């Protein structure tokens, strides 16, 4: 089973790129972030024509998450991260597919640091920790997947010294990521490539992609009950170089079931 995540940075504006990648990569499950489209403007007809069914929660202008699947039954669990009924940002959707809990996430950026946006990010991470602990206690095969807006380690960023006071790299958020791993969640890409500099995002400015001046923000974490199923994975880096592509590249893993 091939499972992927892709921050599309505007699903309608970049729909040709998404459809081209779906045809080329043919993942079984895809989690999308940053749809930048209200609920009614999700391109369901085109997604269906590409062979996928979808669950999504849109939002005007920003945010928005979706889960696509090709031939597998999908049941929605919830479309908000529990813990704050006043949080209306579309950043989380959870579904059960082939007996696996898929948690598609678009974590807050948190910048500028310090400030209320960073405080919101820390609160979001606390709520995520609570939900992930529940999944561990229930002994469910589960996947945390999406754009975490967290750079976990110095190896995951070009020139880490430039990022010390950025909300993506602050000690507090990196600690939260480590705590997830300490609870048993497996960082699949880093496990497969323990010593390689692997990036998933390259800014549009300063020819960052051409210089490979990137960061690793997009992650696929596996619960303890899926660790032994991890077979392979990678980043479809070349997609970032396509015309009118997102500033993120798709990330994928293959599970052996």
């Amino acid at each position: 089973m091939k499972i992927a995540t892709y921050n599309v940075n505007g699903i309608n504006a970049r729909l040709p790129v998404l459809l081209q990648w779906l045809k080329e990569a043919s993942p079984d499950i895809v989690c999308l972030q940053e749809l930048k489209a209200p609920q009614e403007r999700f391109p369901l007809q085109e997604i269906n024509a590409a062979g996928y069914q979808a669950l999504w929660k849109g939002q005007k202008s920003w945010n928005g998450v979706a889960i696509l699947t090709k031939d597998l039954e999908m049941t929605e669990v919830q479309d908000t991260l529990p813990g704050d009924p006043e949080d209306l940002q579309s950043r989380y959707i959870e579904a059960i597919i082939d007996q696996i809990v898929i948690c598609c996430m678009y974590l807050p950026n948190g910048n500028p640091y310090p400030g209320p946006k960073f405080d919101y990010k820390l609160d979001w991470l606390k709520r995520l920790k609570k939900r992930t602990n529940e999944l561990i206690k229930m002994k469910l095969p589960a996947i945390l997947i999406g754009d975490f807006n967290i750079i976990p380690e110095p190896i995951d960023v070009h020139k880490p010294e430039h990022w010390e006071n950025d909300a993506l790299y602050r000690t507090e958020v990196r600690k939260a990521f480590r705590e997830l791993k300490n609870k048993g969640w497996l960082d699949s890409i880093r496990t497969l490539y323990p010593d390689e500099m692997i990036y998933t995002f390259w800014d549009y400015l300063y020819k960052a992609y051409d210089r490979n001046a990137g960061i690793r923000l997009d992650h696929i974490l596996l619960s303890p009950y899926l660790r032994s199923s991890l077979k392979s994975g990678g980043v479809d880096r070349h997609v970032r170089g396509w015309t009118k592509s997102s500033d993120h590249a798709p990330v994928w893993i293959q599970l052996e079931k």
Side-chain angles (χ1 to χ4, degrees):
M1 179 189 295
K2 188 175 184 180
I3 303 170
T5 180
Y6 189 15
N7 180 321
V8 292
N9 191 20
I11 192 167
N12 289 302
R14 308 191 197 281
L15 187 58
V17 172
L18 173 61
L19 295 176
Q20 182 181 348
W21 171 72
L22 288 174
K23 183 177 180 180
E24 175 188 281
S26 192
D28 299 293
I29 300 171
V30 185
C31 291
L32 303 177
Q33 305 86 40
E34 210 170 348
L35 303 180
K36 293 184 177 178
Q39 189 75 3
E40 67 275 9
R41 289 203 59 219
F42 185 85
L44 183 60
Q45 183 176 350
E46 292 87 345
I47 295 296
N48 288 163
Y52 289 85
Q53 56 178 308
L55 293 173
W56 72 96
K57 187 176 183 183
Q59 190 162 33
K60 185 179 180 180
S61 300
W62 303 105
N63 306 326
V65 285
I67 303 176
L68 316 182
T69 184
K70 194 158 38 174
D71 300 311
L72 300 169
E73 182 179 344
M74 176 164 54
T75 303
E76 182 175 330
V77 177
Q78 53 193 341
D79 63 5
T80 57
L81 181 65
D84 184 359
E86 296 184 1
D87 183 6
L88 301 179
Q89 296 191 31
S90 176
R91 295 186 174 276
Y92 185 90
I93 189 167
E94 182 179 313
I96 297 174
I97 304 174
D98 198 25
Q99 300 182 326
I100 298 174
V101 181
I102 304 293
C103 306
C104 173
M105 301 180 293
Y106 177 42
L107 272 74
N109 178 287
N111 281 307
Y113 166 84
K117 291 185 177 180
F118 187 71
D119 295 339
Y120 169 62
K121 182 174 189 172
L122 294 183
D123 180 69
W124 210 97
L125 283 165
K126 288 179 183 177
R127 290 156 54 201
L128 177 64
K129 181 179 179 181
K130 183 177 180 180
R131 178 57 182 154
T132 58
N133 285 343
E134 291 171 351
L135 293 170
I136 293 288
K137 288 178 182 177
M138 288 187 284
K139 298 183 178 180
L140 293 172
I143 302 178
L144 312 179
I145 179 170
D147 179 357
F148 282 57
N149 269 317
I150 296 175
I151 304 168
E153 301 294 341
I155 194 176
D156 298 311
V157 54
H158 179 73
K159 295 187 177 179
E161 64 273 13
H162 294 171
W163 292 80
E164 290 181 357
N165 284 317
D166 192 286
L168 305 180
Y169 193 61
R170 282 290 306 170
T171 302
E172 298 92 330
V173 298
R174 294 170 59 201
K175 181 181 180 222
F177 193 89
R178 286 196 301 272
E179 287 174 349
L180 286 174
K181 297 202 316 183
N182 291 340
K183 282 288 186 178
W185 294 92
L186 185 75
D187 181 351
S188 54
I189 295 299
R190 184 51 66 206
T191 298
L192 291 166
Y193 305 97
D195 302 314
E196 294 188 30
M197 293 176 61
I198 294 179
Y199 303 139
T200 66
F201 170 94
W202 298 261
D203 202 300
Y204 291 124
L205 301 175
Y206 314 118
K207 296 185 177 181
Y209 177 69
D210 296 334
R211 297 186 295 111
N212 197 29
I215 52 182
R216 188 170 75 100
L217 295 177
D218 306 86
H219 308 298
I220 305 176
L221 305 188
L222 305 180
S223 73
Y225 318 103
L226 288 174
R227 295 172 70 103
S228 62
S229 301
L230 180 62
K231 183 179 178 182
S232 60
V235 179
D236 288 343
R237 183 186 187 279
H238 65 285
V239 176
R240 173 61 179 82
W242 290 355
T243 303
K244 296 184 178 179
S245 186
S246 170
D247 41 11
H248 293 251
V251 183
W252 60 272
I253 61 168
Q254 189 87 33
L255 295 182
E256 189 170 28
K257 292 199 70 181

